[in-house]
Amino acid sequence: MEVSTWVAAPICGVLLAEFGADVIRVEPLQGDPVRGLLPRGSSVQAFNWWWEMWNRGKRGMALDLAYAGGQEIVHRLTAQSDIFLTNLRPNVLERAELDYQRVRKD
């Protein structure tokens, strides 16, 4: 289970996927900010190889973690997962009820 953004945690998730893990990635409803990174001169419809490279081999979904419904979905998936991978700041995780103390209970 991966709840992450930008580069470091998504790359860790890619490595796990390449070793055979079934990685489910959650990103914000507006998408990971990496989706907006395009090579100079590219259009919005261009293939974003950075995002593809850092998310290959994963399943994914977009959830709003500010709402209980999104949090509940993550908790259900985490309860079935061996690993909870994140690079969100501790205060963000706490607001989303995904801090260590709550996730470890799952």
Side-chain angles (χ1 to χ4, degrees):
M1 185 71 218
E2 178 186 329
V3 178
S4 65
T5 187
W6 289 103
V7 181
I11 288 176
C12 183
V14 163
L15 295 174
L16 291 169
E18 288 182 349
F19 282 114
D22 181 14
V23 179
I24 301 171
R25 178 159 192 251
V26 174
E27 60 182 287
L29 291 178
Q30 66 273 20
D32 188 319
V34 170
R35 289 179 180 270
L37 296 178
L38 294 171
R40 189 173 287 156
S42 296
S43 70
V44 175
Q45 289 79 27
F47 182 78
N48 185 331
W49 62 269
W50 284 300
W51 189 89
E52 295 291 338
M53 179 175 61
W54 297 330
N55 290 287
R56 67 186 181 272
K58 301 177 191 177
R59 294 188 289 159
M61 65 178 70
L63 295 172
D64 189 343
L65 298 178
Y67 293 97
Q71 296 166 8
E72 177 62 28
I73 292 169
V74 172
H75 281 282
R76 284 185 192 171
L77 291 170
T78 301
Q80 302 170 23
S81 301
D82 294 322
I83 296 172
F84 179 74
L85 174 64
T86 188
N87 63 349
L88 301 182
R89 295 182 316 272
N91 63 325
V92 173
L93 292 169
E94 191 172 321
R95 276 196 316 264
E97 299 187 10
L98 296 172
D99 53 288
Y100 175 76
Q101 289 75 18
R102 292 181 188 143
V103 170
R104 101 176 238 244
K105 290 179 185 177
D106 293 339

